[in-house]
Amino acid sequence: MKLERIRNSDLHQKIMSAEQACDFIEDGMTVGMSGFTRAGEAKAVPKALAEKAKLNPMKINLMTGASLGNDLDKILTEAGALARRMPFQVDNTLRKAINNGEVMFIDQHLSETVEQLRNKQLPLPDVAVIEAVAITEEGHIVPTTSVGNSASFAIFAKKIIVEINMLHQPELEGLHDIYIPSYRPTRTPIPLVKVDDRIGSTAIPIDPEKIVGIVFTNKSDSFSTVSEPDDETAMIAKHLVNFFEQEVAEDRMPANLGPLQAGIGNIANAVMMGLLDSDFKDLTMYSEVLQDSTFDLIDAGKLSFASGCSIILSERWNTQVFNNLDKYRDKLVLRPQEMSNHPEIVRRLGIIAVNTALEFDIYGNVNSTHVCGTKMMNGIGGSGDFARNAHISVFVTKSIAKDGAISSVVPMVSHVDHTEHDVDILVTDQGLADLRGLAPRERAVEVINNCVHPDYRPAMLDYFERACERGGHTPHILEEAFSWHTRLETQGSMKQS
Amino acid sequence: MKLERIRNSDLHQKIMSAEQACDFIEDGMTVGMSGFTRAGEAKAVPKALAEKAKLNPMKINLMTGASLGNDLDKILTEAGALARRMPFQVDNTLRKAINNGEVMFIDQHLSETVEQLRNKQLPLPDVAVIEAVAITEEGHIVPTTSVGNSASFAIFAKKIIVEINMLHQPELEGLHDIYIPSYRPTRTPIPLVKVDDRIGSTAIPIDPEKIVGIVFTNKSDSFSTVSEPDDETAMIAKHLVNFFEQEVAEDRMPANLGPLQAGIGNIANAVMMGLLDSDFKDLTMYSEVLQDSTFDLIDAGKLSFASGCSIILSERWNTQVFNNLDKYRDKLVLRPQEMSNHPEIVRRLGIIAVNTALEFDIYGNVNSTHVCGTKMMNGIGGSGDFARNAHISVFVTKSIAKDGAISSVVPMVSHVDHTEHDVDILVTDQGLADLRGLAPRERAVEVINNCVHPDYRPAMLDYFERACERGGHTPHILEEAFSWHTRLETQGSMKQS
Ligand SMILES: CC(C)(COP(=O)(O)OP(=O)(O)OC[C@H]1O[C@@H](n2cnc3c(N)ncnc32)[C@H](O)[C@@H]1OP(=O)(O)O)[C@@H](O)C(=O)NCCC(=O)NCCS
Ligand SMILES: CC(C)(COP(=O)(O)OP(=O)(O)OC[C@H]1O[C@@H](n2cnc3c(N)ncnc32)[C@H](O)[C@@H]1OP(=O)(O)O)[C@@H](O)C(=O)NCCC(=O)NCCS
């Protein structure tokens, strides 16, 4: 059974334990691992590596697609094994280490990491550790539930360790579409013109000589922890669906909206669920991560095709999808994150991008990453790849957080991930602000009237009016711009007492 | 002579005065005009329009490529003729009106304006006013010294007024390459793969029926006002040339660097002049605006091809280039700004992007537009189009401004146009900071050591160290982050007394 998964029999001799495979990873090395939004990460080698680091202190520079599952970011952090980490994470323990300055975190647009490797602007991985369902006759690697950066990591690394996870169905083979842009100066257009185009291969083409170890595992991906829509997220979804209906009515969007992208997390998932109760059909997705809502929409006959770079599901949906892959096979493709997020394609296809903000300000600037301007939450992820070039760039957030101690709409964001130039629509449970074609002073009125929670509206209006008295294209009172944040830090609430 | 410029003789009957042409422009209309960085703007109709508005108050929404020359933005502002203005400007009088909230200014990525029009996300122009050297047999419009947004404005407008400027050489015909992306969802890749590829037509294809008026003019473009390199800008150029040499030595850039983009203004021009004294050859440009330095480099045999969307020159170079067009013809192309700045092409070609910051901060965020966070300078222009997808994104600025009262490196920028994710290299007269692959705390050390003026270095280090004590991925002291700016506003200098 196991050996059938390694169809190139020369490679059978490379089978070893995770501990043995770890011998290829040395202190100071740069390691590229599979894994994206807690799907398809190598499971055994990182764990063995943490054990090794606990005995003999060592640190690596770890690159992945995005976040690792099965608490691996936590385990590696606790073992002191991480010197540097890029380009994304969502783990509480690692987050603390980053914010304490113990792990150097490089927060990147997710389409750009492998471009920077290709151009030698980042150190190339010494070793790649890639989860696979199989190795082909040619010695090529068939990824599992995410592609992420795995293809380029394997191509760039000097040595490759493959983890074959027997728990993943072999039927995953065929789901992937691995396309790698050619080198400049002879790079050609990416030939993808429709969400369901296949332009690459189903396995990662590498020289099998580079495979130094093959480890068998048998462990599930983590299940997603998205919560059911609540009153606020349902309201956000409702405002957005109303907006889409208007756009179609006014002929600014086609009847099926155009390819949808939805960010990670609870709110984006809830927004997609909102489409379930709408009249829209023939929807498509060209997104990064496919969550439960993707499959709800497929099963409801509303979504005809979904392109992503990873699939992360709740336990219920996980069983449903991966035990019935034939049902979904012709409606799915998984691509490298460079392709799922590529600005060339995002602009060409005219994506409807929906991402979640931590906070946004009255002029339309968005903070996706830094709590009170300093503490990293997760990272910018792919939100910038999509927002910049989308047909419409939407950011959603609840109007308040932490039982109202925080207003997620603020006078000035404490960190900018998406500038006013890249934001078209803002939505909270309170309503929707359409910023297209508006000057900053006009945007502020839209945002204050439609998005700010009533508890904070008078204070916001007061700030804006006093700022306007001082003048400027984008009126602000610099010495007060962050007073809501500093009040939160010193008094536990943004509310004026 | 004049009639030869209108090769479609049916259109001869449309010749009229600028005043008559103005009758097509009514109060409240949206007007799209040619003109980019003060090159190739329609000259007579806007002026006549200002006169008309002075007599009978009226306001229009004015869209252009970028800034207008011949003081037209000033004249229109003074006439009270502007309700809204997009997407860029550089005029002192208009700037004041914007900052007073009298003219609503929509500051945009310059590649995006026509995309938003195409998708009906902005009101389409009622009238387009386009400067031309000629109208072809088919009734198509041959632009002059800029293409900007002229092609799409003419295509979208219900009515077109053409200004044929007899002072422009008819030999300009053939220099332009007009390519317009098709509509989604059937949009195809842009076929441009080399800086000198020609993928479109030499004139703007429109239905000649839409031409309602043709006005003859005879007035020069404004001459550029860039100043000669000074000690600081020469140092900036020197640091950058050294860096390029290193990149080539370490095989991260090809020997001819890759296609260069250089922003507007004195500093970017000086940086390009710095290449004149370097050993680089076979350089190419894929840029927005072509300034004097482009032709200095061509004449020195260092630059083999320059693609842009406008040409703005000093008086000396203006005569030299436009009276010797045959000499430069095979080394030049002018494209629509959507193409000169297109993210798809910028990423494909691997542009070396050099743009000027007003200020940047220790973590690599760049402010290109807002003085003290509120007052609009010019606009973001194309800097974001290039910086986001460039092979290398460089921002340059002098370390101090206004005789040292301002440090252009600050603890936190007062407005963000380019986030840390989009900035690789920062350069001042003091030195160069290479931020690639660094976490924020590491970037701060690079910037403080290499870019900050010595007068401000101790205070900056002190801020950073105290911020680090508070912790966070990007350490800041929020209540102090803008203290340098507020000190400037209240005491006239950022220096601590
Ligand atoms: C912004 C982001 C953290 C929101 O996540 P989410 O699960 O949808 O939203 P939630 O409302 O559950 O908020 C998550 C947490 O942030 C907190 N929060 C929300 N707004 C906040 C604010 N303005 N200030 C501080 N904390 C805030 C919430 O209280 C919650 O805290 P908890 O985990 O302690 O309960 C998440 O979407 C993200 O990391 N985005 C950036 C990356 C990205 O956009 N990727 C998508 C590209 S495909
Ligand atoms: C940033 C920009 C204004 C710099 O222009 P420049 O001509 O190269 O630079 P200069 O040093 O001459 O500075 C211009 C003015 O800004 C002032 N200035 C510079 N730094 C400043 C700062 N940190 N705070 C306030 N003013 C500052 C200068 O003193 C000068 O003022 P003056 O006109 O009163 O003399 C200009 O490049 C710009 O508008 N950039 C944004 C658009 C863009 O990048 N387009 C390129 C895409 S192709």
Side-chain angles (χ1 to χ4, degrees):
Chain A
M1 265 297 279
K2 278 185 173 180
L3 288 187
E4 281 170 22
R5 299 276 192 116
I6 309 177
R7 304 206 293 268
N8 177 319
S9 53
D10 292 353
L11 290 170
H12 290 175
Q13 55 178 348
K14 298 289 168 69
I15 297 170
M16 59 182 68
S17 70
E19 292 67 29
Q20 285 172 312
C22 275
D23 287 345
F24 295 106
I25 303 177
E26 292 165 24
D27 188 36
M29 276 188 170
T30 295
V31 182
M33 292 191 188
S34 66
F36 192 102
T37 52
R38 307 194 302 132
E41 78 282 353
K43 293 168 178 71
V45 174
K47 213 165 167 190
L49 188 69
E51 292 304 320
K52 176 172 157 176
K54 273 196 249 170
L55 294 178
N56 291 303
M58 62 175 287
K59 282 187 190 296
I60 61 164
N61 306 323
L62 177 60
M63 303 177 176
T64 55
S67 50
L68 297 180
N70 284 299
D71 283 338
L72 287 171
D73 270 323
K74 173 172 188 276
I75 293 167
L76 286 163
T77 305
E78 284 172 348
L82 300 183
R84 312 175 74 72
R85 181 76 178 86
M86 66 169 62
F88 190 76
Q89 61 79 41
V90 298
D91 181 79
N92 233 329
T93 305
L94 175 51
R95 189 178 287 147
K96 280 203 193 94
I98 289 167
N99 287 323
N100 288 337
E102 291 152 18
V103 175
M104 293 293 105
F105 178 53
I106 297 96
D107 173 24
Q108 296 195 304
H109 296 303
L110 294 187
S111 81
E112 293 189 359
T113 308
V114 298
E115 187 79 283
Q116 293 193 8
L117 289 172
R118 193 172 293 127
N119 300 326
K120 301 187 210 131
Q121 306 200 39
L122 293 172
L124 294 183
D126 297 288
V127 181
V129 188
I130 311 291
E131 192 183 67
V133 279
I135 296 177
T136 67
E137 291 75 3
E138 300 85 3
H140 297 179
I141 302 167
V142 182
T144 62
T145 45
S146 69
V147 182
N149 285 325
S150 300
S152 287
F153 287 164
I155 290 168
F156 296 136
K158 296 177 204 80
K159 297 178 180 172
I160 304 171
I161 299 166
V162 179
E163 278 196 12
I164 298 191
N165 187 338
M166 297 301 291
L167 213 72
H168 287 304
Q169 310 289 334
E171 287 74 22
L172 278 175
E173 190 168 348
L175 214 62
H176 312 92
D177 184 56
I178 314 289
Y179 175 89
I180 307 283
S182 51
Y183 279 85
R184 300 169 184 143
T186 53
R187 189 176 294 178
T188 47
I190 301 167
L192 190 149
V193 298
K194 297 196 309 305
V195 294
D196 57 350
D197 275 349
R198 291 187 159 271
I199 58 174
S201 56
T202 58
I204 301 169
I206 45 126
D207 175 359
E209 296 276 315
K210 293 206 300 181
I211 298 181
V212 293
I214 301 177
V215 178
F216 279 94
T217 66
N218 208 316
K219 195 166 168 45
S220 162
D221 277 348
S222 297
F223 299 120
S224 93
T225 51
V226 290
S227 45
E228 294 288 302
D230 57 25
D231 288 353
E232 284 81 32
T233 57
M235 282 306 290
I236 293 172
K238 188 170 150 280
H239 297 309
L240 197 55
V241 169
N242 286 348
F243 168 76
F244 288 154
E245 286 165 354
Q246 264 173 45
E247 287 294 293
V248 173
E250 286 165 30
D251 203 23
R252 281 195 291 262
M253 282 189 191
N256 75 342
L257 302 182
L260 295 158
Q261 176 264 334
I264 56 162
N266 295 320
I267 305 181
N269 195 61
V271 165
M272 293 301 287
M273 291 300 282
L275 288 169
L276 211 56
D277 305 319
S278 75
D279 292 333
F280 292 110
K281 46 183 200 270
D282 293 326
L283 298 169
T284 60
M285 285 185 82
Y286 195 88
S287 198
E288 195 182 81
V289 47
L290 307 180
Q291 305 192 75
D292 283 8
S293 48
T294 303
F295 296 91
D296 275 303
L297 287 166
I298 290 179
D299 274 13
K302 297 216 162 258
L303 183 72
S304 58
F305 197 89
S307 165
C309 85
S310 90
I311 304 181
I312 164 98
L313 300 171
S314 63
E315 187 161 6
R316 177 175 78 82
W317 268 114
N318 200 71
T319 316
Q320 161 77 357
V321 171
F322 293 116
N323 289 346
N324 295 285
L325 259 178
D326 276 345
K327 175 170 170 196
Y328 299 103
R329 177 174 297 286
D330 62 343
K331 297 185 178 59
L332 284 183
V333 64
L334 292 183
R335 310 179 190 278
Q337 67 201 71
E338 189 183 17
M339 288 299 124
S340 61
N341 294 23
H342 202 290
E344 173 172 339
I345 300 174
V346 173
R347 181 106 163 213
R348 182 179 303 147
L349 297 181
I351 305 283
I352 314 296
V354 183
N355 290 290
T356 308
L358 264 185
E359 60 177 13
F360 57 76
D361 70 28
I362 53 175
Y363 298 115
N365 300 288
V366 168
N367 174 5
S368 306
T369 55
H370 283 70
V371 174
C372 284
T374 59
K375 291 199 193 56
M376 174 54 61
M377 182 68 133
N378 300 328
I380 191 168
S383 52
D385 288 322
F386 292 102
R388 170 67 63 90
N389 286 299
H391 169 84
I392 286 236
S393 161
V394 180
F395 281 90
V396 296
T397 187
K398 295 186 182 183
S399 60
I400 50 174
K402 307 290 176 204
D403 291 325
I406 294 177
S407 171
S408 291
V409 193
V410 289
M412 183 190 258
V413 286
S414 56
H415 179 90
V416 177
D417 291 292
H418 309 286
T419 74
E420 43 158 342
H421 309 283
D422 297 327
V423 179
D424 297 316
I425 306 291
L426 291 171
V427 197
T428 68
D429 38 279
Q430 300 297 316
L432 180 146
D434 182 349
L435 310 183
R436 292 173 294 175
L438 300 186
R441 288 171 190 236
E442 298 171 308
R443 285 183 228 142
V445 174
E446 269 282 301
V447 171
I448 295 171
N449 287 342
N450 295 307
C451 298
V452 179
H453 190 278
D455 288 358
Y456 287 97
R457 206 172 287 159
M460 191 72 89
L461 197 58
D462 175 57
Y463 176 86
F464 175 59
E465 285 171 351
R466 286 183 297 116
C468 284
E469 279 165 29
R470 292 211 184 172
H473 174 60
T474 305
H476 268 303
I477 304 170
L478 279 195
E479 65 276 21
E480 236 184 79
F482 293 145
S483 59
W484 295 32
H485 298 89
T486 52
R487 204 176 305 127
L488 174 68
E489 285 183 323
T490 55
Q491 297 169 27
S493 170
M494 286 187 175
K495 286 200 182 121
Q496 271 151 326
S497 47
Chain B
M1 265 297 279
K2 278 184 172 181
L3 288 187
E4 280 170 23
R5 299 276 192 117
I6 309 177
R7 303 206 294 269
N8 178 318
S9 53
D10 292 352
L11 289 170
H12 290 175
Q13 54 177 351
K14 298 289 168 69
I15 297 170
M16 60 183 68
S17 70
E19 291 68 30
Q20 285 173 312
C22 276
D23 286 345
F24 294 108
I25 303 177
E26 290 165 27
D27 188 37
M29 277 188 170
T30 296
V31 182
M33 293 190 187
S34 66
F36 192 101
T37 51
R38 308 194 300 132
E41 78 283 353
K43 293 170 178 70
V45 174
K47 213 166 166 190
L49 187 70
E51 292 305 320
K52 176 172 157 176
K54 273 196 250 170
L55 294 178
N56 291 303
M58 63 174 288
K59 281 186 191 296
I60 61 164
N61 305 323
L62 177 60
M63 303 177 174
T64 56
S67 49
L68 298 180
N70 283 299
D71 283 338
L72 288 170
D73 270 323
K74 174 173 186 276
I75 292 167
L76 286 164
T77 305
E78 283 173 350
L82 299 183
R84 311 175 75 72
R85 181 77 178 86
M86 65 169 64
F88 190 75
Q89 60 79 42
V90 299
D91 181 79
N92 234 329
T93 304
L94 175 52
R95 189 179 286 147
K96 280 203 194 95
I98 289 167
N99 286 324
N100 288 337
E102 292 152 17
V103 175
M104 294 293 104
F105 178 54
I106 297 96
D107 172 25
Q108 297 196 304
H109 296 303
L110 294 188
S111 82
E112 292 189 359
T113 308
V114 298
E115 187 78 284
Q116 293 193 8
L117 289 172
R118 193 173 292 128
N119 300 326
K120 299 186 211 136
Q121 306 200 40
L122 293 173
L124 294 183
D126 298 289
V127 181
V129 188
I130 312 292
E131 192 183 67
V133 279
I135 296 177
T136 67
E137 291 74 3
E138 300 84 3
H140 297 178
I141 302 166
V142 182
T144 61
T145 45
S146 69
V147 181
N149 285 324
S150 300
S152 287
F153 287 164
I155 290 168
F156 295 136
K158 296 178 204 81
K159 297 179 180 171
I160 304 170
I161 299 166
V162 179
E163 279 195 13
I164 298 191
N165 187 339
M166 297 301 292
L167 213 71
H168 286 305
Q169 310 290 334
E171 287 74 22
L172 278 174
E173 189 167 348
L175 214 62
H176 312 92
D177 184 55
I178 313 290
Y179 176 89
I180 307 284
S182 51
Y183 280 85
R184 298 167 184 145
T186 53
R187 188 177 293 178
T188 47
I190 302 167
L192 189 148
V193 297
K194 297 197 308 306
V195 294
D196 57 350
D197 275 350
R198 292 187 158 270
I199 58 174
S201 56
T202 58
I204 301 169
I206 45 124
D207 175 358
E209 296 276 314
K210 293 205 300 183
I211 298 182
V212 294
I214 301 176
V215 177
F216 279 95
T217 65
N218 208 316
K219 195 168 168 42
S220 163
D221 279 348
S222 298
F223 300 119
S224 93
T225 51
V226 290
S227 44
E228 295 287 302
D230 58 23
D231 288 353
E232 284 81 34
T233 56
M235 282 306 289
I236 292 172
K238 187 170 151 279
H239 297 309
L240 197 54
V241 168
N242 285 349
F243 168 76
F244 288 154
E245 286 165 354
Q246 264 174 47
E247 287 295 292
V248 173
E250 286 166 30
D251 202 23
R252 282 196 291 260
M253 281 189 191
N256 74 343
L257 302 182
L260 295 159
Q261 177 265 334
I264 55 162
N266 295 318
I267 305 181
N269 194 62
V271 165
M272 293 301 287
M273 291 299 284
L275 287 168
L276 210 56
D277 306 319
S278 75
D279 292 333
F280 292 111
K281 46 182 201 271
D282 294 327
L283 298 169
T284 60
M285 285 185 83
Y286 195 88
S287 197
E288 196 182 80
V289 48
L290 306 180
Q291 306 191 74
D292 283 7
S293 48
T294 303
F295 296 91
D296 275 303
L297 286 166
I298 290 180
D299 274 11
K302 297 214 162 260
L303 184 72
S304 58
F305 197 89
S307 165
C309 86
S310 89
I311 303 181
I312 164 98
L313 300 171
S314 62
E315 187 161 6
R316 178 175 76 83
W317 268 114
N318 200 72
T319 315
Q320 160 76 358
V321 171
F322 293 117
N323 289 345
N324 295 286
L325 259 178
D326 276 345
K327 176 171 169 195
Y328 299 104
R329 178 174 294 287
D330 62 343
K331 297 186 178 60
L332 284 182
V333 64
L334 292 183
R335 310 179 189 278
Q337 68 200 70
E338 187 182 18
M339 289 300 123
S340 61
N341 294 23
H342 203 290
E344 172 172 339
I345 301 174
V346 173
R347 181 106 163 212
R348 182 178 305 146
L349 297 181
I351 304 284
I352 315 295
V354 183
N355 290 289
T356 309
L358 263 186
E359 60 177 14
F360 57 75
D361 69 27
I362 52 174
Y363 298 115
N365 300 288
V366 168
N367 175 5
S368 307
T369 55
H370 284 69
V371 174
C372 283
T374 60
K375 291 198 194 56
M376 173 54 61
M377 182 69 133
N378 300 327
I380 192 169
S383 52
D385 289 322
F386 292 102
R388 170 67 61 91
N389 286 299
H391 169 84
I392 286 235
S393 161
V394 179
F395 281 89
V396 296
T397 187
K398 295 187 184 183
S399 61
I400 50 174
K402 307 290 176 205
D403 292 325
I406 293 177
S407 171
S408 291
V409 193
V410 289
M412 182 190 259
V413 286
S414 56
H415 179 90
V416 178
D417 291 292
H418 309 285
T419 74
E420 42 158 343
H421 309 283
D422 297 327
V423 179
D424 297 315
I425 306 290
L426 292 170
V427 197
T428 67
D429 38 280
Q430 300 297 315
L432 181 146
D434 182 348
L435 310 184
R436 292 174 295 175
L438 299 186
R441 289 171 190 238
E442 298 170 309
R443 285 182 227 144
V445 174
E446 268 281 301
V447 171
I448 295 171
N449 287 342
N450 295 306
C451 298
V452 179
H453 190 278
D455 288 358
Y456 286 97
R457 208 172 287 160
M460 191 73 90
L461 197 58
D462 176 58
Y463 175 86
F464 175 59
E465 284 172 350
R466 287 183 297 116
C468 284
E469 280 165 28
R470 292 210 185 173
H473 174 61
T474 305
H476 268 303
I477 303 170
L478 279 195
E479 66 275 21
E480 236 183 79
F482 294 144
S483 60
W484 295 32
H485 297 89
T486 52
R487 203 176 305 125
L488 175 67
E489 285 184 323
T490 55
Q491 296 168 30
S493 171
M494 286 187 174
K495 285 198 183 122
Q496 269 151 328
S497 47

